Amino acid sequence: MVERKERAQARAKATANTPGPTEIRSQLVRGELLKASVWIGLALLVGACIILIQPILLIFAGIVMASMLDGGTRLLGRVLPIARGWRLLIVCLSLVAFLIWTILFAGSQIADQAATLQQVVMGQVQRIAAWASDHGMGNLQIDTKTITDNLAGTFGRVTAAVGTVLGALTSLIMVLVLGIFIAIEPRLYERGVAWMLPMKSRENFYITTARMGFTLRRLMAGRLLGMLVEGVGTWLACMAVGIPMAALMGLLTGLLAFIPNIGAIVSGVLLVLVGFSAGTDTGLWAIAIYFIVQTVDGYLIVPMVAKQTVDLAPALVLGAQILFGALLGIMGLFLADPIVAMIKVALEREAERNAGAAPEAKAAASA
C-alpha cells in the first residue's frame, strides 16, 4: 500500500515537471508572442481612448478646474494664514455665491437680452447676404439652421456630452465636483499614479507633474484675469456708448476669452453686428471697443502670463484649436490651450533629462 502510494506520488511529480501541449519551448516564439501582446494591448488602449474620449475630456476639464481652485487657495494663503481646507472652502463658496448672484440678479436681464440677440444677429447677417447678392456675389440663403449645422460640422461630431442644455449642465456639474475632489487632496491622486509606475520613473514623474501644476495654475490665472478684464471692460464701454445688450455682450466676451484667438474673433463679430444694428456710429464705437479691449489683453495680460508660464506661439495654439475642435468637438476646442501647454512642459522635461543623461553617458564611455 505504501509502495503504491509512493509510486503514485512519483508519477504525479513526474507529470508536474513534464512540459504540456501548450508549453512554448522556443525562445523566438516566446519573444514574438510578447511583442504581439504589447502591440495588441496598445491597439486596444488606443481604441478605448477613442471610445471614451468624452469622459477623458471631462476628467481633464476637472483637472483644469482643480488647478483653478488650487491656485485660488494658494493665492488666498498669502493673505489669510489659515488651514488649506478652510481656504479652499472660502474659494468654493465664493464661486457658488458668484453663480447664484449671476442667476438671480443678472439672470433675468441677460435672459431677456439673449432672447433678442439671435434676432438681431440673424437680421444683420441677412442684410450682409442681401448686400452681397446685390453686388453680384451670388444668392446667399442664410438661416439659423444653416449656421447651426455649419458650426456643428466645424466643431466635429464628438459633442454629445454637451450637445443639449441638460447635457451641458450635467457636464458642468461633473467637472465642478471632480475639480473640488481633486483640489481637496491633490497629493493623494499624484501618489496613487506614481505608485503604479516603476521606482526609477517616480522621481521624474513628481518633477514633471509639479511643473505641469505650476504651469496650469499660472495659465488659468492669466486666463481668468483676461476674462475679467475683457468682460467687464466690454460691458462698461458698451453701456457708455449706448450699444444694445451691454450686459450680454460683456458676459459673452468674458466667457469666449477663455478660448484664445477663436473666442476673440467670435466675440468681436457679435459685438460689431449688435453695434451696427443700432446705427453706423454705434457700430464704429463697437469696432473701437473691440480693438481697445483686445489690445489691452494682447499686449498687457498675455505677455505677463507668458513670462510666468509656457510661451505658446499663437499659430501653434490656433492650429491645436482647429485640430482638437474638428476631432473632439467643443470640449476639445475649449481645452486645446491647456493640453498644448501640458504637452510642451512634458517635452521640455524630457529634453532636460536627455541633456543631463548625455554627459553621464560620455563620462562612462571615456572611463
Side-chain angles (χ1 to χ4, degrees):
M1 188 62 133
V2 175
E3 294 178 358
R4 203 181 324 172
K5 186 175 181 180
E6 291 178 352
R7 286 196 298 269
Q9 291 177 352
R11 285 196 301 269
K13 186 176 181 180
T15 303
N17 295 328
T18 303
T22 59
E23 183 73 19
I24 300 176
R25 300 183 181 182
S26 174
Q27 295 295 333
L28 177 62
V29 175
R30 288 183 180 181
E32 294 300 323
L33 285 177
L34 182 59
K35 294 178 183 179
S37 63
V38 171
W39 284 108
I40 292 174
L42 183 60
L44 292 176
L45 179 61
V46 172
C49 291
I50 294 175
I51 296 174
L52 301 175
I53 189 61
Q54 290 180 5
I56 292 174
L57 288 177
L58 288 178
I59 293 173
F60 185 77
I63 295 174
V64 173
M65 176 60 66
S67 70
M68 296 183 189
L69 297 176
D70 184 55
T73 303
R74 291 169 181 261
L75 184 62
L76 190 61
R78 296 182 178 181
V79 296
L80 196 61
I82 58 177
R84 172 185 168 83
W86 291 108
R87 286 184 276 123
L88 179 61
L89 179 62
I90 292 174
V91 173
C92 294
L93 291 178
S94 301
L95 177 61
V96 172
F98 173 76
L99 294 177
I100 293 176
W101 176 84
T102 303
I103 294 173
L104 294 181
F105 294 94
S108 58
Q109 180 183 4
I110 292 175
D112 294 338
Q113 294 180 2
T116 60
L117 176 63
Q118 179 179 347
Q119 300 176 1
V120 172
V121 172
M122 289 306 304
Q124 293 296 93
V125 171
Q126 289 173 1
R127 288 177 57 185
I128 295 173
W131 179 85
S133 300
D134 294 338
H135 288 76
M137 298 182 185
N139 187 13
L140 302 177
Q141 299 293 332
I142 301 176
D143 54 11
T144 306
K145 185 177 184 302
T146 302
I147 296 176
T148 304
D149 293 341
N150 290 334
L151 288 177
T154 302
F155 290 147
R157 299 183 177 273
V158 190
T159 56
V162 292
T164 62
V165 176
L166 181 60
L169 182 60
T170 304
S171 300
L172 179 60
I173 294 175
M174 292 175 60
V175 169
L176 288 174
V177 173
L178 184 61
I180 292 173
F181 280 141
I182 296 176
I184 291 175
E185 188 60 43
R187 302 298 181 189
L188 174 65
Y189 305 98
E190 185 182 26
R191 291 194 301 268
V193 176
W195 177 76
M196 294 185 291
L197 298 176
M199 293 288 292
K200 61 181 180 180
S201 303
R202 293 182 183 180
E203 182 180 359
N204 177 62
F205 172 77
Y206 283 125
I207 296 174
T208 305
T209 53
R211 294 184 180 180
M212 285 183 172
F214 175 82
T215 301
L216 196 56
R217 287 193 301 271
R218 295 299 181 93
L219 185 66
M220 291 299 103
R223 193 61 46 78
L224 291 176
L225 179 61
M227 292 170 64
L228 179 64
V229 170
E230 292 191 29
V232 175
T234 302
W235 171 47
L236 295 178
C238 289
M239 287 183 60
V241 301
I243 295 179
M245 296 175 282
L248 182 60
M249 288 296 98
L251 178 64
L252 291 178
T253 302
L255 292 177
L256 290 172
F258 187 84
I259 312 175
N261 304 322
I262 295 178
I265 296 173
V266 174
S267 62
V269 170
L270 292 176
L271 181 61
V272 171
L273 291 177
V274 172
F276 276 101
S277 68
T280 304
D281 294 340
T282 311
L284 294 177
W285 274 113
I287 296 176
I289 291 171
Y290 170 74
F291 279 107
I292 291 173
V293 170
Q294 294 302 323
T295 300
V296 171
D297 184 42
Y299 288 94
L300 293 179
I301 298 176
V302 172
M304 180 180 65
V305 175
K307 290 180 181 179
Q308 302 294 332
T309 59
V310 289
D311 191 5
L312 299 176
L316 175 63
V317 176
L318 182 59
Q321 289 171 344
I322 295 173
L323 179 62
F324 291 152
L327 294 178
L328 308 176
I330 190 67
M331 287 289 291
L333 182 66
F334 271 90
L335 298 174
D337 196 23
I339 291 175
V340 172
M342 296 301 96
I343 293 175
K344 185 175 181 181
V345 171
L347 293 178
E348 288 177 346
R349 172 56 187 167
E350 187 63 25
E352 181 181 321
R353 290 182 62 199
N354 293 336
E360 297 179 0
K362 187 181 296 185
S366 59

